[in-house]
Amino acid sequence: MQKLFTAPLYVQIREEIFAALRSGRWSTNEPLPSETKLASEFSVSQGTIRKAIDDLVAQNILYRHQGRGTFIRRHDEQQSLFRFFNLAREDGSKPVPASVNIHCKTRKGLKHECSALGVATGERLIEILRLRHLDHQPMILETILVSQQRFPDLNKRDLPNTLYELYGDEYNIHITRAEEQVTAISADINVSGHLKVKAKTPLIEIRRIAFDLHDQPVELRISQCVTGPYVYACSLN
Amino acid sequence: MQKLFTAPLYVQIREEIFAALRSGRWSTNEPLPSETKLASEFSVSQGTIRKAIDDLVAQNILYRHQGRGTFIRRHDEQQSLFRFFNLAREDGSKPVPASVNIHCKTRKGLKHECSALGVATGERLIEILRLRHLDHQPMILETILVSQQRFPDLNKRDLPNTLYELYGDEYNIHITRAEEQVTAISADINVSGHLKVKAKTPLIEIRRIAFDLHDQPVELRISQCVTGPYVYACSLN
DNA sequence: TAGTGGTCTAGACCACGAC
DNA sequence: TCGTGGTCTAGACCACTAC
């Protein structure tokens, strides 16, 4: 006899709410229905809804504001600049990054790029190359790759400093998490020119894959950074 | 009229339990008193104790095991090798690090080292230098610094691969979190000899400060790592 | 003032582990 | 079988926000 497994109620409801979020049932600007309303909609107690929402808050997908309601996390200018930005000063404070676009074009994706983005090999990608300044010094050379099919006409837009805000507002693609891999590289002539350092200066290269609500890889971003005054900071728990 | 602020009950109780943990009231090998017992001890409902413990579990200080009880997190060989070890293969899998000690001595701490460890400038430190192998290749040269006063006779002991287990078992100093800063450096002659790479190869240098239950800095660890087959991996949420 | 999330309680039943 | 943590309920009161 096979053993049956039923997920706890709050897990089922968490997934139902999550699915509703992905389907765009609720607007980004209004609060979700209140906990008591959701409780009667799903015919469970308020405590169970609460636990389901707790999980989504812990995942950074929703946030609560006492007295106002529960809202969908949006990437807005202030937080987005820092939430996915791990470079800090040695004392732990974070500089405000500024961006200068160098080019934005479309091209066929290489095999490893397409596989990282989960699209068919050879699909057309949009490539954005930009230079980022910290405290007015060029510090990061950033190559951003996304599928042209997922982001039609992205290359024809004005690109803001915080791209994830644009992805959400214009394409309804919400970045929820990212994975980064850091390696040490040697600056080649091209890179060193942009970053105003000597050729062969050691740099860190950060390879980031950003994922959306469906946990699909959406963006591949490769950042080559000068370190020294700034460090790549990470907490372990 | 000054506004009075009373922390929620579960926060007060969380701090009381945390203080009891630090004072060593409960052994590392036995479960804590059950939630119902703690509830009657503190004269609150079981749900309130539950929320207090939830927080400590989220902080990785306790863990629960259904049917058995709630326990203090210990660094044991298996988990300790990975919990604070961020180097991974490109596919995300983690190699098992092995260690070879090169030397272990005591010396006066430099100013920046003592300040990182929160001890008086010039205090004697124990310095451990060791080489770590991943998949049988030398990949990391690690310098570990701790206060000799906090770890008497550490330099006379056999040093295991997982130091944090030793800190906990022998000195009752439990590492709960760490902060890491990654920079790019160029291998000098000495380092490149140990790591069997050419001089000036770009490396990543990881500067870690590890903290104990009292949130005091306890260990400064500087790791110089060859990257390429391995990467420094970090998730952003 | 009305509605929201935040805290707290008391009690029920379930699933797992030790004996 | 008994004790543990895990889930779920129903209802109370508090603190904050909007109106």
Side-chain angles (χ1 to χ4, degrees):
Chain A
M1 180 92 167
Q2 180 151 9
K3 188 168 178 185
L4 292 179
F5 174 74
T6 323
L9 244 188
Y10 78 91
V11 172
Q12 297 173 36
I13 287 168
R14 181 188 70 203
E15 293 310 314
E16 285 197 55
I17 294 177
F18 192 22
L21 285 171
R22 281 179 302 212
S23 78
R25 174 170 160 194
W26 299 299
S27 140
T28 329
N29 298 313
E30 287 170 23
L32 263 56
S34 73
E35 296 182 350
T36 44
K37 275 182 194 137
L38 287 171
S40 65
E41 178 181 332
F42 287 105
S43 310
V44 296
S45 79
Q46 189 235 16
T48 302
I49 294 290
R50 194 164 181 76
K51 222 181 161 193
I53 292 179
D54 276 346
D55 280 9
L56 295 169
V57 168
Q59 284 176 63
N60 247 312
I61 291 166
L62 299 177
Y63 68 94
R64 299 194 239 238
H65 198 134
Q66 187 176 151
R68 282 209 276 153
T70 302
F71 301 81
I72 304 175
R73 263 253 176 274
R74 247 186 99 263
H75 286 274
D76 53 31
E77 173 83 15
Q78 315 134 49
Q79 58 168 41
S80 192
L81 270 174
F82 300 109
R83 180 166 159 212
F84 287 138
F85 191 75
N86 267 358
L87 287 184
R89 300 191 187 90
E90 281 188 43
D91 65 10
S93 68
K94 287 196 176 185
V96 178
S99 303
V100 179
N101 291 322
I102 297 173
H103 75 231
C104 178
K105 61 181 188 183
T106 74
R107 64 171 172 85
K108 270 176 77 169
L110 301 176
K111 192 176 169 191
H112 81 271
E113 295 165 347
C114 293
S115 110
L117 290 172
V119 300
T121 302
E123 213 183 285
R124 286 201 79 78
L125 303 183
I126 295 172
E127 175 189 287
I128 300 165
L129 181 68
R130 60 183 191 175
L131 187 63
R132 307 198 85 175
H133 294 253
L134 306 181
D135 298 330
H136 310 293
Q137 296 292 318
M139 284 288 164
I140 309 170
L141 187 64
E142 206 171 60
T143 306
I144 296 163
L145 293 166
V146 296
S147 156
Q148 186 175 28
Q149 203 176 314
R150 283 207 196 103
F151 292 93
D153 296 332
L154 177 66
N155 49 326
K156 292 171 192 156
R157 290 179 184 276
D158 277 339
L159 298 176
N161 197 1
T162 53
L163 284 174
Y164 293 172
E165 202 182 345
L166 178 68
Y167 295 171
D169 292 350
E170 298 297 328
Y171 298 95
N172 201 33
I173 292 178
H174 300 274
I175 303 299
T176 54
R177 67 179 194 91
E179 303 276 352
E180 296 196 332
Q181 299 186 334
V182 181
T183 53
I185 60 165
S186 189
D188 66 24
I189 290 286
N190 181 27
V191 175
S192 66
H194 283 299
L195 295 175
K196 303 212 167 98
V197 294
K198 284 184 196 158
K200 298 195 181 165
T201 300
L203 304 177
I204 62 170
E205 177 174 283
I206 306 169
R207 184 174 188 272
R208 176 198 294 175
I209 300 177
F211 296 83
D212 69 4
L213 275 175
H214 304 83
D215 216 35
Q216 292 290 314
V218 161
E219 182 202 73
L220 172 63
R221 181 181 295 213
I222 292 165
S223 305
Q224 299 173 319
C225 317
V226 183
T227 62
Y230 304 99
V231 298
Y232 183 89
C234 184
S235 297
L236 312 187
N237 295 296
Chain B
M1 179 92 169
Q2 180 151 6
K3 188 169 179 184
L4 292 179
F5 174 74
T6 322
L9 244 189
Y10 77 93
V11 172
Q12 298 174 35
I13 287 168
R14 180 188 72 203
E15 294 309 314
E16 286 197 53
I17 293 178
F18 191 24
L21 285 171
R22 280 179 302 212
S23 77
R25 173 170 160 194
W26 300 299
S27 141
T28 328
N29 299 313
E30 287 170 23
L32 263 59
S34 73
E35 295 182 349
T36 44
K37 276 181 192 137
L38 287 171
S40 66
E41 177 181 332
F42 287 106
S43 310
V44 297
S45 78
Q46 189 238 13
T48 302
I49 292 291
R50 191 161 184 76
K51 222 180 160 193
I53 292 180
D54 276 346
D55 280 10
L56 295 170
V57 167
Q59 282 176 65
N60 246 312
I61 291 166
L62 299 177
Y63 68 93
R64 298 194 240 237
H65 197 133
Q66 186 175 145
R68 284 210 274 151
T70 302
F71 300 81
I72 303 174
R73 264 255 175 272
R74 245 186 102 262
H75 285 275
D76 53 30
E77 172 83 15
Q78 315 132 49
Q79 57 166 42
S80 193
L81 270 175
F82 300 109
R83 180 164 160 213
F84 287 138
F85 190 75
N86 267 358
L87 288 184
R89 301 193 186 89
E90 282 189 41
D91 64 9
S93 67
K94 287 195 176 183
V96 178
S99 303
V100 179
N101 291 322
I102 297 173
H103 74 232
C104 178
K105 61 182 189 183
T106 74
R107 63 172 172 83
K108 270 176 76 167
L110 302 176
K111 192 175 170 194
H112 81 273
E113 295 164 346
C114 293
S115 110
L117 290 171
V119 299
T121 301
E123 211 183 287
R124 286 200 80 76
L125 304 182
I126 295 172
E127 176 188 288
I128 300 166
L129 182 67
R130 60 183 191 174
L131 187 62
R132 307 199 83 176
H133 293 254
L134 306 180
D135 298 330
H136 310 293
Q137 297 292 320
M139 285 287 166
I140 310 170
L141 187 65
E142 208 170 60
T143 306
I144 296 163
L145 293 166
V146 297
S147 156
Q148 185 174 26
Q149 204 176 313
R150 283 206 195 105
F151 292 91
D153 295 330
L154 177 66
N155 48 325
K156 292 172 193 155
R157 289 179 185 276
D158 277 339
L159 298 175
N161 196 2
T162 52
L163 284 174
Y164 293 172
E165 203 182 345
L166 178 69
Y167 295 171
D169 292 351
E170 299 297 328
Y171 297 96
N172 200 33
I173 292 179
H174 299 274
I175 303 299
T176 54
R177 68 179 192 91
E179 303 276 350
E180 295 196 332
Q181 298 187 336
V182 181
T183 53
I185 60 164
S186 190
D188 66 25
I189 290 287
N190 180 28
V191 175
S192 65
H194 283 299
L195 295 175
K196 303 210 166 101
V197 295
K198 284 184 195 157
K200 298 194 182 166
T201 300
L203 304 177
I204 61 170
E205 177 173 283
I206 306 168
R207 184 175 190 273
R208 177 198 294 175
I209 300 176
F211 297 84
D212 69 5
L213 276 175
H214 304 83
D215 217 36
Q216 292 291 313
V218 161
E219 182 204 71
L220 173 61
R221 181 180 297 213
I222 292 165
S223 306
Q224 298 172 320
C225 317
V226 183
T227 62
Y230 304 99
V231 299
Y232 183 89
C234 183
S235 297
L236 313 185
N237 294 298

